[in-house]
Amino acid sequence: MIRVAALTLLSLQFCNADVYFHNPRGSNNRLNEQSAARSNANRLFDSQNNNRGGYNVGDATYKAAGSDASLQYHMKYFQSGPFKQYSDETGRSYLTFEWTNQHGCGGDEDNDPHKLNCNIVLQYMCQDSDVTAATEQLRDGVNTQTQGHTALKKANETPAQKGTRKSKDIVQARGYHESWEWYDKCRNRERNFGLFTADQKLQTNNGLGYSGAIYTRQNPNGNRRGYECPEERDYYPYWHPTPWKDIAILPVNTSLCEYYQKESFNVAPRHECVEIYVGTTTVRHWSRYSNEEDCAANGGQWTPFYNYLEKAPSRRFPLPTLSLH
């Protein structure tokens, strides 16, 4: 699976399927290494690639950026505005994507369905450019260490305790491509037991007494790579709301096109159990419950989320009024 993260802010991210992204440049978890091999294969995500390959973040001047992120060079891509686009498609801008599949594709076409299964998913994530707080801003970082994560110890954690965990975990100098809350809610949420796990024996205790969404067929031990959610990474289309937006899906068989067009989070809402911190009116960023029945039985609200603002209806909640993004 290929992902494109914030084109003008971050070096590109790709993962899950042994893919090397060439244009726009993909990192393969590299940053500023002065060697053929990357330093940290778990820095931001699970690329499932060899240690060699990928592109460093560029330097903006003849000097190495070092520990100064302002001296890093970030690619910028320009496009024609709507007033330059005509009915005959002249004046439109196109960005060419180029990548290498390490293990190849093909041989499973509509008329010969028996060889390689290779679906390519292109996605992106973006963020407002005025977000600058160290605990929120998406960035490449200036060293190759992985951001930290302190596991939740008790379900009745207060907002202040959550804030302390987060502020201690996130370091300004390290890369930050997915939010701390995204991984924390993934770890604390029960995994979807309807997903295919083959013959893998997944761990059954995330520290809170149940098996979380960090355990999957490809990640049975719950290893962490950056703040990536393993269950969301390994299963597409994902059943839960996600910060990623689909660009294109290239299925191995065209008979899958209609299914993906209907199930993409771009057009189909996803539900999440919304709860509040005990004794407060503050919405909590995570819930244990991954289905409507358990959510309602434990006082939560099974809430639809939409990936595009224009598709979000006006809603009223019996819980305190929520601002859903």
Side-chain angles (χ1 to χ4, degrees):
M1 180 169 62
I2 304 170
R3 287 186 165 176
V4 184
L7 294 180
T8 60
L9 296 177
L10 307 173
S11 55
L12 299 185
Q13 177 171 333
F14 54 89
C15 60
N16 195 25
D18 301 275
V19 170
Y20 296 94
F21 219 150
H22 303 302
N23 189 65
R25 300 178 304 181
S27 72
N28 196 33
N29 270 315
R30 294 183 66 88
L31 175 65
N32 54 11
E33 287 86 335
Q34 298 183 32
S35 60
R38 63 186 171 191
S39 298
N40 181 358
N42 299 325
R43 187 172 77 94
L44 295 168
F45 59 94
D46 182 15
S47 72
Q48 300 185 14
N49 286 336
N50 298 326
N51 282 331
R52 298 194 176 199
Y55 298 84
N56 280 10
V57 175
D59 297 319
T61 72
Y62 67 94
K63 296 181 179 180
S67 60
D68 188 348
S70 69
L71 295 179
Q72 293 176 335
Y73 179 77
H74 299 291
M75 298 296 293
K76 293 181 175 62
Y77 299 88
F78 300 91
Q79 65 182 26
S80 301
F83 66 94
K84 290 292 186 180
Q85 298 177 13
Y86 303 99
S87 58
D88 61 356
E89 298 191 1
T90 58
R92 292 188 177 185
S93 300
Y94 295 91
L95 174 63
T96 300
F97 284 4
E98 297 178 348
W99 66 87
T100 298
N101 286 31
Q102 187 171 322
H103 296 300
C105 286
D108 190 16
E109 289 80 18
D110 297 359
N111 59 355
D112 187 21
H114 66 273
K115 293 186 179 179
L116 296 179
N117 187 334
C118 180
N119 296 328
I120 301 295
V121 180
L122 295 162
Q123 296 177 308
Y124 76 98
M125 183 195 303
C126 58
Q127 183 182 67
D128 290 340
S129 59
D130 59 358
V131 177
T132 59
T135 55
E136 306 297 337
Q137 183 186 42
L138 301 181
R139 57 186 178 273
D140 289 311
V142 295
N143 70 48
T144 58
Q145 294 179 321
T146 304
Q147 293 283 5
H149 181 262
T150 304
L152 180 70
K153 301 299 183 184
K154 56 182 182 178
N156 61 346
E157 177 184 63
T158 67
Q161 291 168 336
K162 174 257 185 175
T164 298
R165 278 200 300 134
K166 179 178 179 178
S167 62
K168 286 184 177 180
D169 288 341
I170 299 177
V171 177
Q172 175 71 57
R174 299 176 185 176
Y176 192 58
H177 276 206
E178 294 173 272
S179 75
W180 181 93
E181 283 85 358
W182 174 239
Y183 178 79
D184 197 57
K185 71 163 60 182
C186 178
R187 180 184 176 87
N188 299 337
R189 183 174 62 250
E190 279 191 313
R191 69 179 181 89
N192 185 333
F193 287 88
L195 298 174
F196 176 70
T197 58
D199 59 353
Q200 294 294 309
K201 295 182 178 180
L202 278 55
Q203 286 194 19
T204 59
N205 191 343
N206 62 353
L208 298 172
Y210 52 90
S211 187
I214 59 173
Y215 306 115
T216 69
R217 181 180 69 85
Q218 292 179 273
N219 198 51
N221 296 320
N223 296 328
R224 183 171 66 84
R225 285 97 174 177
Y227 290 139
E228 181 180 65
C229 177
E231 190 178 83
E232 181 268 341
R233 176 198 67 213
D234 291 346
Y235 299 95
Y236 180 88
Y238 193 44
W239 65 271
H240 186 277
T242 162
W244 295 97
K245 301 180 186 298
D246 293 337
I247 300 173
I249 303 165
L250 310 179
V252 67
N253 193 298
T254 56
S255 65
L256 295 170
C257 287
E258 183 178 359
Y259 168 74
Y260 285 134
Q261 288 172 331
K262 289 181 178 179
E263 293 300 325
S264 167
F265 188 31
N266 286 6
V267 295
R270 296 291 189 269
H271 287 73
E272 179 176 0
C273 187
V274 175
E275 298 185 68
I276 60 175
Y277 286 96
V278 176
T280 76
T281 58
T282 303
V283 175
R284 197 171 65 184
H285 70 280
W286 69 273
S287 172
R288 168 180 175 172
Y289 306 107
S290 57
N291 63 79
E292 184 174 8
E293 183 179 357
D294 289 342
C295 177
N298 288 276
Q301 179 160 345
W302 192 243
T303 307
F305 286 77
Y306 296 80
N307 214 11
Y308 284 91
L309 182 61
E310 60 269 23
K311 289 188 175 292
S314 298
R315 295 184 58 86
R316 292 185 178 274
F317 297 83
L319 293 175
T321 301
L322 310 181
S323 177
L324 303 179
H325 301 283

